[in-house]
């Protein structure tokens, strides 16, 4: 059974909130065993749940606080959502504007994440 | 030579502005001959410039006014951007929140467009 719009939006909310709480297991728990993560798009793809866990261990360790900056858009097997990541780097605050896409499998697990952002979306100060 | 961030952002601005002006040729001119359009994601893909032209002939005919609702995010060969489309339908106003991704070829032309939106992003009144 295809994943519902409600399930997709719930996954996005879990992702945003769990990141902000530093809840690594809740984030990794959204992913399928054979998931891939490409963050940012154009860099080497992390393949499989252990590579995904390793990636988020580092990302959550930055203490980033995420906030949605628009409504999630659901289409086909996907949801796309705009958000900002607020990070403390060496005592300086950084703000990055990002768009992520999640693709879901029929069990409602994320099988592909792609993050769209570049240097121009990065503001320090 | 890969497309630059400046070129990608210029393409997004041309797209948004040309749509609002009803300038079909400026929109189609962004695309490569072998481009594909999937709008929304999960529906049949339009393949080739003639199918792309036919799609936009209908879309521009709706008189939609587009506006960016956040910064374009450039990554790899892609740009992702959040926007709203304001449409008059039979005298009623509709507002749709959308995220598009453009993938560029090495000539700076769009070879793939995917639009993420669903019924939950559609507001009438």
């Amino acid at each position: 059974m295809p994943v519902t719009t409600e399930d997709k939006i719930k996954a996005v909310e879990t992702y945003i909130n769990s990141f902000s709480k530093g809840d690594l297991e809740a984030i990794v728990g959204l992913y399928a065993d054979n998931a891939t993560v490409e963050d940012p798009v154009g860099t080497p793809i992390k393949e499989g749940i252990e590579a995904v866990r390793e990636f988020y261990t580092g990302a959550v360790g930055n203490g980033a606080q995420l906030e949605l900056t628009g409504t999630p858009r659901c289409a086909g097997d996907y949801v796309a959502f705009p958000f900002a990541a607020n990070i403390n780097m060496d005592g300086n605050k950084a703000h990055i504007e990002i768009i992520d896409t999640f693709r879901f499998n029929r069990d409602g697990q994320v099988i592909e994440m792609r993050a769209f952002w570049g240097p121009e979306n990065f503001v320090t100060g």
Side-chain angles (χ1 to χ4, degrees), chain A:
Chain A
M1 200 171 71
V3 62
T4 66
T5 294
E6 289 71 23
D7 289 340
K8 292 180 192 172
I9 292 174
K10 189 175 172 190
V12 169
E13 291 172 347
T14 297
Y15 188 76
I16 296 288
N17 295 336
S18 299
F19 221 104
S20 297
K21 289 188 288 185
D23 188 344
L24 176 66
E25 293 310 316
I27 297 169
V28 176
L30 294 170
Y31 282 92
D33 284 347
N34 60 340
T36 60
V37 167
E38 186 180 7
D39 186 352
V41 165
T43 60
I45 296 173
K46 292 85 177 171
E47 295 192 50
I49 196 70
E50 285 314 313
V52 170
R53 180 188 302 275
E54 184 180 344
F55 169 74
Y56 282 108
T57 300
V60 168
N62 287 335
Q65 300 290 306
L66 308 191
E67 55 177 330
L68 282 174
T69 55
T71 51
R73 280 77 152 173
C74 298
D77 297 329
Y78 292 83
V79 62
F81 54 101
F83 65 101
N86 296 298
I87 304 176
N88 265 305
M89 297 177 70
D90 304 325
N92 295 313
K93 288 179 182 174
H95 173 92
I96 314 174
E97 295 191 309
I98 304 170
I99 287 174
D100 276 7
T101 59
F102 286 165
R103 183 176 192 175
F104 294 87
N105 65 17
R106 293 175 72 85
D107 294 325
Q109 298 172 305
V110 179
I111 51 169
E112 179 200 89
M113 186 279 256
R114 306 183 82 196
F116 297 82
W117 60 276
E120 79 281 8
N121 302 121
F122 196 88
V123 182
T124 55

